[in-house]
């Protein structure tokens, strides 16, 4: 997704990662073809280029303008959904490997920003998990016990740098980190180009297929890129309709940034035990002012359209803890893919030998993206990785069957919406700047009227597998609740798995 294709703008978004990038204008070939230029795609490209492989990166938008531009950029090795749950689902050894791999990802970012001279505000900080109410202190004990079982560097402490929290218990996790994500991506692109890699923007890959001894990526401009391997790193994968999509679900997440006096709170990562939880970090600013970034209030993509209320809730939560914050500077939303067992899907795409996939960030997209670069590098160059089993895309987690059934119920319920009435009974009732689903005979229409009165009418059927799209009034786009596709008001596909636009309705 391009940040320019949604209305909100993140704190990071004004920085262009690679402003001189151009679209693909001819057939080309490489050792590795990487689709997607977020932290996963660019990190994989960097590692393979560093190993002497010829790489080509292709993105449907500008380089680095997708979901990585909408992160809050926490670099945490702690399971976003709790180590206790991860151990219950997958056992201590795989949970330990998860922690080991996420820690290695932070180390790798630190190493690359040092060796490449990337000024990206990287710094090591402590991470703090704290209860949102007194009744949740038992959660801390459970997580402390789970973390100690698998060798996590953690201790229980008392007191947080927030109002009324001098006696609040918390778990302190050492050796976490944070950075400016787009400054880091800009440095990665420089490193890739310096090693002969090519990067193409505004080029939609419509298909990825294996050939005899290689792969072929076909684009909507009619050009193809061939190679030995392909890596699909598109948030929600564009090359698969069933195998992975049934094991993960898209969630919208929200973020705000505020001015804050430097030194007002200690630099660190903070997150609470609420469900959905809240998370806080600092970003250096200019002079005596920094930025406080807060995120949370997640919900299933397309399930509700109440972003303003969620921003209000985030603001109230933040001002309760940090009463002296300054003005709000940015507000934005993004999408995370939550898997049924809390780890990403990284490795060979099910049914393929030469196509690799990266998806299922589970709220930890920055570290999962870098884990992908190390794991896929090892698979390509050595045929195996010590973390292969943790992230195996074809895995089945029997103990997560409840979550599997719950998440897939969304698609079943969604198709029933085609027989429901429209939100309005006529396009004539659409106000300027408004989008709505309207029934015209047997057809459901996704309709939007611009401020100048221009009317857009598209089919309400997502071009991935036909789910019914929902209007997102915050971002002025159509969201698919089933698998995370997003479409612009003119029907253009903005985010996978869909690659084709919504059908025009005349």
């Amino acid at each position: 997704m391009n940040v320019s294709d949604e209305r909100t703008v993140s704190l990071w978004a004004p920085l262009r990662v690679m402003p001189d990038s151009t679209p693909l204008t001819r057939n080309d070939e490489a050792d590795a073809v990487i689709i997607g230029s977020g932290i996963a795609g660019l990190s994989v490209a960097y590692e393979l280029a560093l190993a002497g492989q010829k790489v080509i990166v292709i993105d449907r938008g500008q380089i680095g303008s997708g979901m990585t531009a909408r992160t809050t950029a926490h670099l945490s090795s702690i399971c976003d959904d709790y180590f206790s749950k991860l151990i219950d689902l997958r056992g201590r050894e795989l949970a330990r490997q998860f922690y080991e791999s996420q820690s290695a990802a932070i180390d790798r970012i630190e190493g690359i920003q040092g060796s490449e001279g990337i000024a990206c505000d990287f710094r090591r900080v402590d991470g703090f998990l704290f209860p949102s109410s007194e009744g949740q202190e038992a959660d801390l004990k459970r997580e402390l016990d789970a973390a100690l079982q698998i060798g996590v560097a953690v201790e229980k402490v008392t007191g947080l740098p927030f109002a009324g929290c001098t006696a609040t218990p918390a778990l302190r996790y050492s050796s976490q980190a944070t950075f400016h994500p787009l400054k880091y991506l800009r440095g990665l692109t420089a490193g890739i180009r310096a090693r002969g890699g090519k990067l193409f923007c505004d080029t939609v890959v419509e298909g990825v297929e294996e050939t005899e001894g290689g792969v072929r990526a076909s684009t909507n401009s009619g050009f193809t890129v061939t190679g030995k391997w392909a890596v699909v790193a598109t948030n929600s994968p564009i090359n698969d309709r069933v195998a992975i999509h049934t094991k993960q679900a898209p969630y919208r997440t929200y973020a705000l940034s505020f001015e804050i006096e430097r030194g007002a709170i200690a630099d660190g990562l903070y997150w609470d035990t609420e469900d959905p939880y809240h998370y806080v970090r600092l970003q250096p600013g200019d002079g005596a002012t920094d930025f406080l970034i807060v995120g949370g209030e997640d919900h299933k993509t397309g399930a509700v359209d109440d972003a303003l209320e969620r921003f209000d809730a985030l603001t109230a939560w933040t001002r309760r803890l940090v009463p002296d914050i300054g003005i709000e500077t940015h507000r934005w939303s993004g999408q995370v893919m939550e898997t049924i067992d809390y780890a990403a899907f990284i490795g060979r795409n099910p049914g393929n030998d030469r196509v690799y996939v990266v998806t299922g960030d589970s709220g930890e997209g920055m570290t999962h993206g870098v884990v992908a670069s190390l794991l896929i590098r090892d698979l390509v160059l050595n045929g195996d990785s010590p973390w292969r089993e943790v992230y195996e895309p074809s895995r089945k987690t029997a103990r997560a069957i409840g979550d599997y059934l719950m998440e897939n119920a969304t698609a079943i319920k969604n198709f029933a919406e085609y027989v429901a009435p429209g939100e309005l009974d006529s396009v004539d009732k659409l106000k300027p700047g408004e989008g709505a689903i309207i029934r015209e005979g047997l057809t459901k229409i996704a309709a939007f009227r611009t401020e100048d009165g221009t009317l857009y009418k598209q089919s309400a059927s997502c071009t991935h597998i036909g789910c019914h799209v929902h209007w997102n009034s915050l971002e002025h786009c159509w969201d698919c609740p089933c698998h995370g596709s997003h479409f612009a008001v003119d029907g253009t596909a903005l985010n996978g798995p869909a690659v084709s636009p919504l059908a025009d309705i005349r």
Side-chain angles (χ1 to χ4, degrees), residues 211-228:
T211 60
E212 188 174 344
V215 295
R216 178 188 296 113
S218 55
T219 71
N220 66 343
S221 54
F223 301 111
T224 61
V225 179
T226 57
K228 299 176 183 175

Side-chain angles (χ1 to χ4, degrees), residues 357-436:
V357 67
V358 185
T359 188
D361 49 58
S362 294
E364 298 180 80
M366 298 299 95
T367 48
H368 268 127
V370 180
V371 168
S373 71
L374 302 176
L375 195 158
I376 291 175
R377 177 201 64 192
D378 287 349
L379 291 178
V380 167
L381 300 180
N382 307 320
D384 202 2
S385 163
W387 307 319
R388 180 185 55 78
E389 186 179 356
V390 182
Y391 300 102
E392 173 58 52
S394 63
R395 72 182 183 268
K396 295 178 175 63
T397 305
R399 299 188 69 176
I401 189 64
D403 286 340
Y404 176 87
L405 295 173
M406 180 183 69
E407 298 295 8
N408 281 279
T410 296
I412 297 170
K413 294 176 182 177
N414 178 273
F415 281 102
E417 295 182 33
Y418 282 108
V419 300
E423 296 164 333
L424 297 176
D425 56 22
S426 169
V427 295
D428 296 334
K429 294 185 178 180
L430 269 180
K431 300 175 182 177
E434 184 178 36

Side-chain angles (χ1 to χ4, degrees), residues 12 72-75 120-128 159-162 172-180 260-271 280-285 290-293 322:
W12 332 110
T72 54
H74 290 236
L75 299 176
C120 60
D121 306 318
F122 178 91
R123 57 210 184 274
R124 290 282 185 171
V125 295
D126 290 334
F128 296 88
L160 292 168
F162 302 134
R172 184 179 72 84
Y173 301 92
S174 62
S175 297
Q176 309 303 295
T178 191
F179 67 163
H180 188 301
I260 186 171
E261 182 181 351
R262 181 161 298 161
I265 67 170
D267 199 5
L269 308 182
Y270 304 90
W271 61 99
V280 181
R281 58 155 290 198
L282 291 171
Q283 171 61 27
D290 290 333
F291 297 98
L292 182 75
I293 301 172
V322 191

Side-chain angles (χ1 to χ4, degrees), residues 35-313:
I35 300 101
S37 67
I39 192 164
L42 291 180
S43 295
V44 171
Y46 176 84
E47 295 295 348
L48 292 177
L50 192 65
Q53 301 294 302
K54 180 180 178 183
V55 301
I56 289 178
V57 178
I58 307 172
D59 198 287
R60 74 166 77 211
Q62 291 294 303
I63 301 300
S65 66
M67 286 302 166
T68 299
R70 292 180 165 272
T71 182
T72 54
H74 290 236
L75 299 176
S76 174
S77 57
I78 310 308
C79 179
D80 197 56
D81 295 280
Y82 299 129
F83 278 125
S84 61
K85 293 183 179 180
L86 185 61
I87 291 171
D88 285 345
L89 281 177
R90 307 197 65 195
R92 291 183 187 177
E93 179 55 25
L94 290 184
R96 185 194 63 76
Q97 291 178 22
F98 177 95
Y99 172 64
E100 175 188 81
S101 62
Q102 300 286 318
S103 298
I106 301 174
D107 292 344
R108 188 62 180 140
I109 292 171
E110 183 175 30
I112 290 172
Q113 61 91 34
S115 63
E116 295 287 341
I118 304 173
C120 60
D121 306 318
F122 178 91
R123 57 210 184 274
R124 290 282 185 171
V125 295
D126 290 334
F128 296 88
L129 172 67
F130 61 98
S132 52
S133 66
E134 291 184 7
Q136 293 179 327
E137 287 188 32
D139 295 339
L140 293 190
K141 183 179 187 310
R142 181 196 68 216
E143 289 313 302
L144 177 62
D145 291 344
L148 292 175
Q149 289 178 38
I150 57 176
V152 176
V154 60
E155 64 174 338
K156 187 174 181 181
V157 297
T158 300
L160 292 168
F162 302 134
C165 293
T166 55
T168 298
L171 298 186
R172 184 179 72 84
Y173 301 92
S174 62
S175 297
Q176 309 303 295
T178 191
F179 67 163
H180 188 301
L182 297 194
K183 289 180 180 179
Y184 181 72
L185 293 196
R186 183 173 58 184
L188 284 184
T189 62
I192 293 165
R193 295 172 92 178
R195 293 165 178 85
K198 301 177 184 178
L199 301 97
F200 298 103
C201 67
D202 297 327
T203 302
V204 178
V205 173
E206 294 184 322
V208 181
E209 60 181 328
E210 288 193 339
T211 60
E212 188 174 344
V215 295
R216 178 188 296 113
S218 55
T219 71
N220 66 343
S221 54
F223 301 111
T224 61
V225 179
T226 57
K228 299 176 183 175
W229 308 281
V231 181
V232 179
T234 55
N235 185 246
S236 188
I238 62 167
N239 61 313
D240 170 62
R241 287 186 179 271
V242 177
I244 292 177
H245 290 297
T246 59
K247 299 186 291 187
Q248 63 180 12
Y251 280 74
R252 272 278 173 187
T253 187
Y254 298 88
L256 294 162
S257 62
F258 301 89
E259 289 185 350
I260 186 171
E261 182 181 351
R262 181 161 298 161
I265 67 170
D267 199 5
L269 308 182
Y270 304 90
W271 61 99
D272 70 8
T273 55
E274 240 355 301
D275 185 17
Y277 72 101
H278 307 87
Y279 40 99
V280 181
R281 58 155 290 198
L282 291 171
Q283 171 61 27
D286 298 324
T289 303
D290 290 333
F291 297 98
L292 182 75
I293 301 172
V294 57
E297 297 295 323
D298 302 9
H299 63 78
K300 282 287 290 288
T301 292
V304 292
D305 187 28
D306 59 355
L308 297 183
E309 289 86 347
R310 291 176 187 267
F311 282 128
D312 287 345

